[in-house]
Amino acid sequence: MSSSAATALDPTTVGVVLAMAVVTYTTKAGGLWLVGRLELTDRAETALEVLPGVIVVSLVAGELAEGGPAAWLGAAAVAVVVRKTESLPLALLAGIGTVVLVRGRI
Amino acid sequence: MADSSGDRGQSTAVTDDDESATDETTARDEPSPRLVAFSRAGMLRGFRDCLPVAVGVAGYGVAFGVLASQAGLSAAEATLMSATVLAGAAQLLAVDLWAASASVATIVLATAAVNLRYLLLGATLRPWFADRSVLETYGSAFFTADENWALTMRAFADGGDAVGNGSESADAAYLLGSGLAIWVLWVAATVVGALVGDGVTDPARYGLDAAFLIVFVAVAVDLWDGRTDLPPWTAAFVAALATAVAVPGRWYLLAGALVGCSVGVRHADVEADSSGVGG
């Protein structure tokens, strides 16, 4: 039963998935395409240099707003470990570990 | 990754040199101010650097597979979505809407809204693809995901500093390589999660729901480039946090990016005026 269900492809579902794929690709390629068509001023270039950092910071803020104390402590642990060791895997382990441990205590 | 606080003065000096040197370089007969390669070596470097991050993403992929199967998608359908869409947040939202029997139009529109940020991410990649072919550029674009985009910006920034200094230079294929690492593990994890199905009922128990936050914090620390980042980053953080608390959905990202960017630009204007470097 599970093997036939696992490989099932409903035409409507496939249609929605492909529509999502087209929309997503359009956004991924769209930014590259638009900027290539424009002459950039100095200020626009500064904006593009600032952009990556502020996007990541905004993502962090949004996730912090959604998360609880465990997630906040996990975030702090990652920040400390990545700063001290510069090792991403170690930092990720420390972050997830902190989240799980803190939730276990509460 | 020379981003410890001790290098702050140094890196500012390098930035200043770069700015004043740009005009002189273009004045000379260089064919292009910035030659960026697109090589197999760059691709492999991206793949290798991104693997640890991709393993973290895979944890999320398992969660997606589980949620997708609980929403009524087959393993094949969930896997098709991961392979062709490759956007974690949008996929999770779509599956959420799916479970709530939302209309097709709602699901596709929500996908577009969540993915609007890719317009911004794509825009930041442009300088490194200025000299690349259409196939290289728009083929790589498919493999843009939050995590490998951030790693790529870091690699480009490091390589950008090193151009002409004999060390590893920026390579546009880094995006493709790091994206492939994400893609392979994201798709494989989706298969596992969808097949395991109801086995894992609560991703939060394993801390997987915090995986995005944790990756982004690590990336933010890496991207930190010294005190000039403080005003835009603070502004972005406050604006995004306020928006996230007040407005449902992912508008906080646009709010934070816009506010942070305008503060950064204004700050750069003020610095240029006060130090008289203007020209």
Side-chain angles (χ1 to χ4, degrees):
Chain A
M1 169 196 142
S2 70
S3 70
S4 65
T7 53
L9 283 171
D10 174 64
T12 312
T13 308
V14 170
V16 175
V17 167
L18 293 184
M20 286 175 65
V22 169
V23 163
T24 304
Y25 180 72
T26 305
T27 58
K28 288 182 178 179
L32 262 166
W33 185 82
L34 277 175
V35 176
R37 296 289 164 289
L38 304 170
E39 279 285 317
L40 286 183
T41 62
D42 283 354
R43 305 180 98 217
E45 270 178 24
T46 308
L48 284 187
E49 277 167 28
V50 174
L51 203 45
V54 297
I55 288 177
V56 173
V57 167
S58 303
L59 288 168
V60 168
E63 298 283 341
L64 284 174
E66 282 173 30
W72 301 337
L73 286 171
V78 177
V80 170
V81 173
V82 84
R83 195 133 188 127
K84 294 270 179 222
T85 67
E86 298 204 345
S87 158
L88 205 51
L90 265 185
L92 296 180
L93 271 180
I96 296 279
T98 304
V99 170
V100 172
L101 278 179
V102 171
R103 282 197 183 135
R105 290 281 165 91
I106 293 173
Chain B
M1 227 180 358
D3 55 1
S4 66
S5 51
D7 294 326
R8 203 173 276 156
Q10 234 182 358
S11 61
T12 334
V14 170
T15 318
D16 288 344
D17 282 356
D18 278 355
E19 273 165 17
S20 53
T22 316
D23 295 332
E24 288 163 30
T25 326
T26 20
R28 274 184 274 148
D29 57 348
E30 300 251 345
S32 155
R34 209 182 248 165
L35 267 179
V36 180
F38 191 96
S39 71
R40 179 183 289 259
M43 192 181 90
L44 287 175
R45 187 147 40 94
F47 190 88
R48 209 179 45 225
D49 287 359
C50 193
L51 265 183
V53 176
V55 169
V57 169
Y60 222 70
V62 172
F64 166 74
V66 170
L67 293 172
S69 74
Q70 286 174 356
L73 270 73
S74 72
E77 289 161 351
T79 307
L80 180 71
M81 194 192 285
S82 283
T84 60
V85 178
L86 189 64
Q91 289 181 231
L92 285 165
L93 180 65
V95 158
D96 203 36
L97 291 169
W98 204 287
S101 313
S103 71
V104 171
T106 307
I107 292 173
V108 175
L109 274 177
T111 304
V114 172
N115 286 336
L116 267 186
R117 71 183 183 287
Y118 284 126
L119 285 174
L120 302 177
L121 303 197
T124 64
L125 293 169
R126 187 72 224 180
W128 285 276
F129 284 94
D131 301 324
R132 307 320 313 175
S133 73
V134 169
L135 184 65
E136 286 165 345
T137 305
Y138 294 104
S140 298
F142 173 81
F143 292 94
T144 310
D146 297 306
E147 292 81 3
N148 74 304
W149 163 81
L151 285 181
T152 302
M153 291 313 291
R154 198 186 67 179
F156 283 170
D158 290 352
D161 286 348
V163 163
N165 291 340
S167 116
E168 284 179 340
S169 60
D171 191 315
Y174 191 99
L175 178 70
L176 174 62
S178 56
L180 277 169
I182 298 265
W183 187 87
V184 168
L185 278 157
W186 178 245
V187 172
T190 301
V191 176
V192 172
L195 291 178
V196 167
D198 310 271
V200 182
T201 47
D202 185 12
R205 237 185 102 192
Y206 305 99
L208 293 182
D209 56 321
F212 273 121
L213 170 63
I214 278 158
V215 169
F216 291 139
V217 168
V219 165
V221 173
D222 270 347
L223 279 178
W224 176 255
D225 198 29
R227 210 164 284 173
T228 48
D229 281 339
L230 192 58
W233 283 33
T234 310
F237 186 83
V238 171
L241 196 59
T243 311
V245 170
V247 186
R250 299 205 147 231
W251 294 108
Y252 62 81
L253 185 60
L254 272 180
L258 284 175
V259 172
C261 242
S262 49
V263 168
V265 168
R266 193 168 315 160
H267 199 73
D269 283 353
V270 172
E271 296 246 303
D273 285 350
S274 63
S275 61
V277 181

